[in-house]
Amino acid sequence: MKSTIVICILLFSGCSTPKKIGKSSQNQALKTAFSVKVDSLDLLDKARNRSVPVALYLPDTKKNLPKQQVVVLSHGYGGNRGGDNKAYTYLTEFLASQGYFVASIQHELPTDELLPMTGKPQEVRRPNWERGVQNILFVIEELKRRKPTFDYKHLTLIGHSNGGDMSMLFAHTYPDKVDKVISLDNRRMSFPRTQQPKIFSLRSSDQVADEGVLPTLEEQQKYKMRIIKLVNTIHNDMDDHANAEQRKEINNYILDFLNK
């Protein structure tokens, strides 16, 4: 591993809670905030001969955290420029401050083909999502090997946009390997209509999902899904472009869902 950087992010723990968020989540954030260590792994999937860079965010504590839960984050499409797995620090650092071990995967490499912008997305982008699913699976298995004491029965996937499409496809393909899936405005890959894994989605104010992606109100009730529209947040402001109020709202909603 590379050298460790320590970041103190206690400022997030004092954020006020949106009206729809339970006070218990805010109180927990106030009581259990840790400083955060940022690290990285440069993994090699030998089976695919593929590099899989991973940014790590973890609590900076010498205390034993029994059954520490894991969050795997998948970034939105970045045009193969690289570094997109480090573009959600407001969220990854916040979750680490709450005791979660967060692994943020860099899905795109400079040598990869660009994401198709023409044609039917569900067809032309499917290979990109399938590669993302294999990246996620590989990282999970590597973490299990390196950190066997973590709680992988309650593993959570979070994905923004194209990364959310990957995360939803993973839920379709490996439902037994993940407990919760959180979509930050994925628009192309349909939600699995199932109670397991548990599904939560925050939707932007400016983008609309393709037909059939989002469950109907009846399906949301049947499968106990939660879908919330962020009226003050556009699609492209769900990464570190988010302002302080947007970050607070997204963090609180996600923590509330994780606590349930």
Side-chain angles (χ1 to χ4, degrees):
M1 285 191 178
K2 298 179 181 178
S3 59
T4 298
I5 303 171
V6 178
I7 301 177
C8 183
I9 59 168
L10 296 179
L11 68 160
F12 283 116
S13 65
C15 294
S16 62
T17 303
K19 292 182 179 179
K20 293 183 180 179
I21 300 296
K23 290 186 177 180
S24 59
S25 295
Q26 183 186 25
N27 291 338
Q28 179 177 343
L30 287 169
K31 292 178 181 178
T32 64
F34 298 99
S35 294
V36 172
K37 291 195 295 186
V38 179
D39 214 323
S40 62
L41 288 172
D42 290 321
L43 300 175
L44 175 64
D45 185 349
K46 294 181 180 179
R48 297 182 296 155
N49 191 30
R50 181 176 179 83
S51 174
V52 185
V54 183
L56 302 176
Y57 303 84
L58 54 152
D60 182 22
T61 178
K62 295 182 179 179
K63 295 180 180 179
N64 180 33
L65 300 179
K67 293 296 181 180
Q68 187 174 6
Q69 292 189 25
V70 177
V71 173
V72 177
L73 186 139
S74 296
H75 60 80
Y77 181 58
N80 299 8
R81 293 185 296 270
D84 301 285
N85 63 330
K86 300 176 183 178
Y88 299 80
T89 57
Y90 78 93
L91 174 58
T92 53
E93 292 171 4
F94 172 73
L95 292 177
S97 79
Q98 300 305 301
Y100 292 90
F101 185 97
V102 183
S104 183
I105 302 172
Q106 177 60 42
H107 287 286
E108 302 164 17
L109 302 178
T111 54
D112 289 340
E113 66 280 3
L114 295 174
L115 190 70
M117 295 299 168
T118 59
K120 188 176 180 179
Q122 290 81 358
E123 295 176 359
V124 298
R125 297 183 182 183
R126 181 80 179 214
N128 179 282
W129 302 340
E130 290 176 343
R131 185 176 63 207
V133 167
Q134 292 307 305
N135 288 342
I136 295 169
L137 181 63
F138 172 68
V139 169
I140 291 172
E141 295 306 315
E142 275 294 304
L143 290 177
K144 287 182 178 179
R145 185 176 67 84
R146 294 166 183 254
K147 303 288 186 180
T149 62
F150 285 175
D151 179 7
Y152 296 101
K153 291 184 179 180
H154 297 95
L155 188 142
T156 297
L157 301 185
I158 300 177
H160 175 219
S161 192
N162 194 60
D165 291 323
M166 294 176 184
S167 300
M168 286 301 177
L169 181 56
F170 190 97
H172 279 281
T173 310
Y174 300 105
D176 59 326
K177 292 185 178 294
V178 60
D179 182 51
K180 296 179 179 178
V181 179
I182 300 173
S183 162
L184 300 179
D185 213 36
N186 81 296
R187 301 170 52 219
R188 311 297 187 181
M189 184 67 213
S190 64
F191 288 34
R193 269 54 170 183
T194 178
Q195 290 190 25
Q196 186 59 38
K198 306 173 188 70
I199 304 295
F200 177 53
S201 184
L202 297 176
R203 314 306 302 178
S204 72
S205 62
D206 68 325
Q207 298 288 340
V208 178
D210 290 348
E211 184 177 357
V213 170
L214 300 179
T216 64
L217 290 176
E218 291 78 11
E219 288 173 330
Q220 292 176 45
Q221 294 174 355
K222 179 179 179 179
Y223 299 115
K224 300 180 180 179
M225 300 180 183
R226 293 185 65 198
I227 298 178
I228 296 173
K229 185 172 183 178
L230 304 179
V231 297
N232 296 313
T233 301
I234 64 172
H235 182 85
N236 289 338
D237 283 351
M238 289 185 166
D239 59 10
D240 280 344
H241 288 98
N243 62 35
E245 289 300 314
Q246 292 167 332
R247 295 180 182 203
K248 177 177 63 176
E249 183 176 42
I250 293 171
N251 283 343
N252 282 334
Y253 271 127
I254 289 177
L255 183 62
D256 185 66
F257 178 66
L258 291 176
N259 285 341
K260 292 185 182 301

